[in-house]
Amino acid sequence: YLRLMRVLLRAQPHLKRQPVDAGGADGGTHLVVAIFDDLFRLPSVEEARRIGALTPPQCKTPRCRAAALALLAELAEREPANLSLLLEMLLAQQLSRSGHSRVSYMWHYAPAMHEKSRCGYVGLKNLGATCYLNSLVQQLFLIPEFRAAILALQIEPPAPASATDAASDLSAADEPGGGDVLYYLQAMFGYLHESEKRWYDTRDFCGAFRDCENLPLNPSVQMDVDEFLNMLFEKLEAGLGRTSSPKLLQSLFGGSVVNQIIDKAGRRLSERVEPFFVISIEVKNKASVMDGLAQFVEGETLDGDNKYNFEGEYVEATKRCCISRLPPVLILHLKRFEFDFDLMKKMKLYDHCEFPPSIDMAPYTVRYLERQEKLLGEAEGPSPADEEDGDCVYELAGVLVHTGTSDSGHYYSFIRERRAAQPGAHPWLHFNDTLVEPFDSSEIGKNCFGGVEPVVSWDVDTNKPVQRTQVKPHSAYMLFYEKVSAHAQSREGAPEAVPRGEGRDGARDQPMAEA
């Protein structure tokens, strides 16, 4: 239609002076104003939420914007009134964009470089060393239930800090409530969901996230992502306590383990239940995550001088830890770092450790282990399957990767997209700060398992290329698994909650149900 309108205006130049879309305050909207708004008008937050997918600007694809710009040029050609009106609107827009009375010109300004990726997702800006924050937030954002719950919360904006608050030991952001962190996390999720830009600046979130000394996150200092996750969940729990969803984190990520002490006769001498959000697994000398989980529930024998004191009597017993309740979203932390007491420094483990696309957690639960012990005590034979064991199957949904050494490194994420273009198809995406691109899931082993890889280098002594092996600097650090039953339920009738991107031909994707 835009191209046809351009042809008509070229053939009938007098139509350029005719207002269209009658009904405005001045009797109609000038065609130049209408096309300019379709190109450049940005909605408010309230308007964007009310309109939804049809929020302005109407011209979003490159082909549509090119046709609209050509139409504006045609309207301004040999029409001084149209040209003057167009220049006034362009100048006003540039002044409002720069925020100053003088326009700051950029010789390298390229708007296409700031557009949302073709995958339809928004990246996060690295402020120096905040890759740990970016990679973790993207993992949490792409969990449909968590994203929808955070966006649905009714949270009051934080009050501006006063001089008295700044001088006090604790500010409102650090009081038991963590409302500021929750508010800015919701704001970040809102931008990731609705923005048409390539990336979002996390400066406000970093300023609201305070440590025990009431200092904001230092963007030039990198943190361990597992440590940051624990701090983030602690603050979110405090903030959620004053909302309508105080148990949000426990309902999605919260599980529990039971620490047991059992004597040789099978009596449980002691039991202590502990909650968890993350399960830490050893990877040193482990061929796979399954070996690490087996060690996690493997019992430790208490004998000799290490016997257990039960009611004044020292008895031989077995101490073990097993899972008593599994969460819908299971987060596994692979222990890639350890402290070397010989060198007195932190070292990274580059061991090859595989992880499966789906995992059955039933063998690591207290119900399964106790059933096995009961069967072994009665008679040798295969263990019958429990009807609840089928609820322990998980699918891989995300991998958070660390590359580098223990002293310096970088975090990024591979995440499975829940909304699928076709039934059964689950494309993967690579989130690396502002970069968002498709990822081939068949490359997960090569990019995430760690270990060594062959390389060819030039040998000066032999004066020829020589093949050798070197450790892979990149390896999985955290794994995100989703329970199959919970994942299947979330697909049924789930509303669209993920930003829709552009297809490869520039066409806008149609709304689809979330996978």
Side-chain angles (χ1 to χ4, degrees), residues 114-425:
H114 300 278
E115 294 178 356
K116 182 189 294 186
S117 69
R118 300 177 71 89
C119 303
Y121 291 90
V122 180
L124 293 172
K125 183 180 180 181
N126 193 330
L127 303 180
T130 57
C131 54
Y132 64 93
L133 184 154
N134 298 345
S135 57
L136 178 61
V137 167
Q138 295 286 15
Q139 291 281 357
L140 298 177
F141 175 75
L142 261 74
I143 299 175
E145 298 83 0
F146 185 70
R147 176 180 64 246
I150 291 295
L151 292 177
L153 292 175
Q154 299 295 328
I155 308 174
E156 293 295 330
S162 63
T164 304
D165 294 333
S168 62
D169 294 333
L170 290 176
S171 69
D174 286 316
E175 291 177 355
D180 287 6
V181 173
L182 184 59
Y183 173 82
Y184 285 108
L185 179 67
Q186 185 188 59
M188 192 188 313
F189 275 20
Y191 275 96
L192 293 178
H193 186 275
E194 300 291 346
S195 178
E196 293 294 330
K197 295 184 178 181
R198 180 172 293 271
W199 47 264
Y200 171 73
D201 194 327
T202 60
R203 196 178 308 274
D204 291 339
F205 179 84
C206 293
F209 196 100
R210 302 278 175 150
D211 58 17
C212 59
E213 298 179 355
N214 196 31
L215 297 176
L217 284 182
N218 188 343
S220 62
V221 177
Q222 189 178 84
M223 290 181 60
D224 181 90
V225 70
D226 177 58
E227 177 184 354
F228 175 72
L229 175 63
N230 293 326
M231 294 174 59
L232 176 63
F233 275 12
E234 180 181 352
K235 292 183 177 295
L236 291 182
E237 272 193 302
L240 289 167
R242 296 185 293 189
T243 67
S244 58
S245 302
K247 301 295 183 181
L248 174 60
L249 293 182
Q250 290 85 347
S251 64
L252 286 177
F253 308 99
S256 59
V257 296
V258 55
N259 296 280
Q260 297 179 323
I261 297 180
I262 307 172
D263 64 5
K264 289 187 175 181
R267 294 183 304 165
R268 289 189 288 273
L269 307 180
S270 173
E271 277 191 350
R272 187 179 72 257
V273 178
E274 296 180 356
F276 73 84
F277 287 123
V278 181
I279 296 180
S280 297
I281 299 175
E282 298 285 346
V283 299
K284 188 175 184 178
N285 301 324
K286 300 292 184 293
S288 68
V289 168
M290 317 302 292
D291 296 338
L293 286 170
Q295 182 183 355
F296 179 77
V297 300
E298 184 180 359
E300 174 189 357
T301 302
L302 303 178
D303 56 3
D305 296 336
N306 198 29
K307 288 183 179 181
Y308 180 71
N309 185 355
F310 179 68
E311 297 181 353
E313 180 183 358
Y314 289 91
V315 297
E316 293 186 1
T318 301
K319 179 182 178 181
R320 73 181 181 188
C321 177
C322 45
I323 301 173
S324 60
R325 184 172 64 87
L326 285 165
V329 180
L330 178 65
I331 305 177
L332 301 180
H333 164 229
L334 308 185
K335 295 182 179 179
R336 286 283 177 184
F337 299 103
E338 68 173 7
F339 190 81
D340 191 325
F341 288 94
D342 294 332
L343 300 177
M344 296 303 293
K345 62 182 298 187
K346 186 179 180 181
M347 303 293 292
K348 182 177 179 179
L349 302 176
Y350 298 97
D351 299 45
H352 179 89
C353 184
E354 301 179 1
F355 49 87
S358 63
I359 184 173
D360 184 6
M361 293 296 294
Y364 316 105
T365 60
V366 61
R367 185 190 312 113
Y368 180 92
L369 294 174
E370 289 179 350
R371 190 170 69 246
Q372 289 292 104
E373 293 171 353
K374 183 178 179 181
L375 291 173
L376 290 175
E378 295 176 353
E380 295 291 337
S383 172
D386 192 287
E387 60 181 6
E388 297 186 7
D389 289 349
D391 197 37
C392 300
V393 179
Y394 288 78
E395 287 184 349
L396 184 66
V399 184
L400 199 154
V401 180
H402 177 270
T403 181
T405 66
S406 60
D407 299 324
S408 62
H410 180 64
Y411 291 100
Y412 54 90
S413 284
F414 298 119
I415 310 177
R416 177 164 56 85
E417 189 180 23
R418 275 59 162 194
R419 61 179 182 102
Q422 298 177 355

Side-chain angles (χ1 to χ4, degrees), residues 93-105:
Q93 185 207 26
Q94 293 298 319
L95 290 175
S96 63
R97 182 177 66 87
S98 64
H100 302 283
S101 59
R102 294 183 58 188
V103 180
S104 55
Y105 294 97

Side-chain angles (χ1 to χ4, degrees), residues 421-465:
Q422 298 177 355
H426 298 289
W428 283 72
L429 298 171
H430 174 208
F431 289 83
N432 193 341
D433 293 334
T434 59
L435 173 67
V436 184
E437 62 182 0
F439 175 71
D440 186 359
S441 59
S442 63
E443 298 290 322
I444 286 181
K446 178 181 178 181
N447 290 274
C448 304
F449 287 170
V452 297
E453 60 183 349
V455 295
V456 178
S457 60
W458 185 262
D459 192 320
V460 179
D461 297 332
T462 59
N463 199 26
K464 63 179 182 180

